[in-house]
PDB file of all heavy atoms in Angstrom:
ATOM      1  N   GLY A 205      -4.077   9.299  14.213  1.00 96.00           N
ATOM      2  CA  GLY A 205      -3.784  10.035  15.446  1.00 96.00           C
ATOM      3  C   GLY A 205      -5.040  10.494  16.189  1.00 96.00           C
ATOM      4  O   GLY A 205      -6.168  10.180  15.794  1.00 96.00           O
ATOM      5  N   ALA A 206      -4.825  11.229  17.278  1.00 96.00           N
ATOM      6  CA  ALA A 206      -5.951  11.686  18.117  1.00 96.00           C
ATOM      7  C   ALA A 206      -6.415  13.088  17.740  1.00 96.00           C
ATOM      8  O   ALA A 206      -7.472  13.532  18.167  1.00 96.00           O
ATOM      9  CB  ALA A 206      -5.563  11.654  19.597  1.00 96.00           C
ATOM     10  N   ASN A 207      -5.627  13.796  16.946  1.00 94.00           N
ATOM     11  CA  ASN A 207      -6.013  15.140  16.484  1.00 94.00           C
ATOM     12  C   ASN A 207      -6.247  15.064  14.980  1.00 94.00           C
ATOM     13  O   ASN A 207      -5.408  15.461  14.179  1.00 94.00           O
ATOM     14  CB  ASN A 207      -4.915  16.153  16.816  1.00 94.00           C
ATOM     15  CG  ASN A 207      -4.813  16.380  18.306  1.00 94.00           C
ATOM     16  OD1 ASN A 207      -4.239  15.565  19.036  1.00 94.00           O
ATOM     17  ND2 ASN A 207      -5.389  17.466  18.782  1.00 94.00           N
ATOM     18  N   LYS A 208      -7.375  14.493  14.630  1.00 94.00           N
ATOM     19  CA  LYS A 208      -7.610  14.190  13.213  1.00 94.00           C
ATOM     20  C   LYS A 208      -7.953  15.417  12.387  1.00 94.00           C
ATOM     21  O   LYS A 208      -7.752  15.431  11.188  1.00 94.00           O
ATOM     22  CB  LYS A 208      -8.732  13.152  13.090  1.00 94.00           C
ATOM     23  CG  LYS A 208      -8.372  11.822  13.754  1.00 94.00           C
ATOM     24  CD  LYS A 208      -9.329  10.737  13.393  1.00 94.00           C
ATOM     25  CE  LYS A 208      -9.050   9.460  14.152  1.00 94.00           C
ATOM     26  NZ  LYS A 208      -7.714   8.895  13.866  1.00 94.00           N
ATOM     27  N   PHE A 209      -8.517  16.394  13.053  1.00 90.00           N
ATOM     28  CA  PHE A 209      -8.942  17.591  12.311  1.00 90.00           C
ATOM     29  C   PHE A 209      -8.560  18.839  13.089  1.00 90.00           C
ATOM     30  O   PHE A 209      -8.580  18.828  14.320  1.00 90.00           O
ATOM     31  CB  PHE A 209     -10.471  17.563  12.109  1.00 90.00           C
ATOM     32  CG  PHE A 209     -10.958  16.291  11.457  1.00 90.00           C
ATOM     33  CD1 PHE A 209     -11.502  15.272  12.233  1.00 90.00           C
ATOM     34  CD2 PHE A 209     -10.853  16.104  10.090  1.00 90.00           C
ATOM     35  CE1 PHE A 209     -11.934  14.091  11.654  1.00 90.00           C
ATOM     36  CE2 PHE A 209     -11.283  14.916   9.499  1.00 90.00           C
ATOM     37  CZ  PHE A 209     -11.823  13.908  10.291  1.00 90.00           C
ATOM     38  N   LYS A 210      -8.226  19.874  12.368  1.00 87.00           N
ATOM     39  CA  LYS A 210      -7.967  21.165  13.019  1.00 87.00           C
ATOM     40  C   LYS A 210      -9.322  21.767  13.409  1.00 87.00           C
ATOM     41  O   LYS A 210     -10.308  21.571  12.692  1.00 87.00           O
ATOM     42  CB  LYS A 210      -7.237  22.097  12.059  1.00 87.00           C
ATOM     43  CG  LYS A 210      -5.876  21.563  11.638  1.00 87.00           C
ATOM     44  CD  LYS A 210      -5.000  22.686  11.090  1.00 87.00           C
ATOM     45  CE  LYS A 210      -3.616  22.159  10.782  1.00 87.00           C
ATOM     46  NZ  LYS A 210      -3.566  21.453   9.480  1.00 87.00           N
ATOM     47  N   PRO A 211      -9.367  22.517  14.542  1.00 86.00           N
ATOM     48  CA  PRO A 211     -10.654  23.087  14.962  1.00 86.00           C
ATOM     49  C   PRO A 211     -11.341  23.858  13.838  1.00 86.00           C
ATOM     50  O   PRO A 211     -12.565  23.817  13.708  1.00 86.00           O
ATOM     51  CB  PRO A 211     -10.277  24.003  16.123  1.00 86.00           C
ATOM     52  CG  PRO A 211      -9.006  23.431  16.646  1.00 86.00           C
ATOM     53  CD  PRO A 211      -8.280  22.825  15.482  1.00 86.00           C
ATOM     54  N   GLU A 212     -10.546  24.528  12.983  1.00 87.00           N
ATOM     55  CA  GLU A 212     -11.183  25.327  11.927  1.00 87.00           C
ATOM     56  C   GLU A 212     -11.838  24.465  10.825  1.00 87.00           C
ATOM     57  O   GLU A 212     -12.642  24.948  10.048  1.00 87.00           O
ATOM     58  CB  GLU A 212     -10.195  26.341  11.310  1.00 87.00           C
ATOM     59  CG  GLU A 212      -8.904  25.788  10.765  1.00 87.00           C
ATOM     60  CD  GLU A 212      -7.769  25.727  11.805  1.00 87.00           C
ATOM     61  OE1 GLU A 212      -8.077  25.627  13.015  1.00 87.00           O
ATOM     62  OE2 GLU A 212      -6.594  25.760  11.403  1.00 87.00           O
ATOM     63  N   GLN A 213     -11.493  23.139  10.800  1.00 88.00           N
ATOM     64  CA  GLN A 213     -12.156  22.242   9.844  1.00 88.00           C
ATOM     65  C   GLN A 213     -13.489  21.740  10.395  1.00 88.00           C
ATOM     66  O   GLN A 213     -14.260  21.093   9.689  1.00 88.00           O
ATOM     67  CB  GLN A 213     -11.280  21.014   9.565  1.00 88.00           C
ATOM     68  CG  GLN A 213      -9.989  21.277   8.817  1.00 88.00           C
ATOM     69  CD  GLN A 213      -9.178  19.996   8.715  1.00 88.00           C
ATOM     70  OE1 GLN A 213      -8.484  19.618   9.647  1.00 88.00           O
ATOM     71  NE2 GLN A 213      -9.304  19.313   7.592  1.00 88.00           N
ATOM     72  N   CYS A 214     -13.711  21.960  11.719  1.00 91.00           N
ATOM     73  CA  CYS A 214     -14.878  21.386  12.393  1.00 91.00           C
ATOM     74  C   CYS A 214     -15.949  22.445  12.621  1.00 91.00           C
ATOM     75  O   CYS A 214     -15.678  23.639  12.577  1.00 91.00           O
ATOM     76  CB  CYS A 214     -14.470  20.814  13.750  1.00 91.00           C
ATOM     77  SG  CYS A 214     -13.204  19.553  13.656  1.00 91.00           S
ATOM     78  N   THR A 215     -17.159  21.960  12.902  1.00 91.00           N
ATOM     79  CA  THR A 215     -18.195  22.851  13.419  1.00 91.00           C
ATOM     80  C   THR A 215     -18.350  22.513  14.902  1.00 91.00           C
ATOM     81  O   THR A 215     -17.721  21.574  15.383  1.00 91.00           O
ATOM     82  CB  THR A 215     -19.537  22.616  12.676  1.00 91.00           C
ATOM     83  OG1 THR A 215     -19.788  21.216  12.674  1.00 91.00           O
ATOM     84  CG2 THR A 215     -19.459  23.117  11.261  1.00 91.00           C
TER      85      THR A 215
END
Side-chain angles (χ1 to χ4, degrees):
N207 291 78
K208 298 192 185 298
F209 306 100
K210 298 199 175 80
E212 55 270 27
Q213 292 175 279
C214 302
T215 49

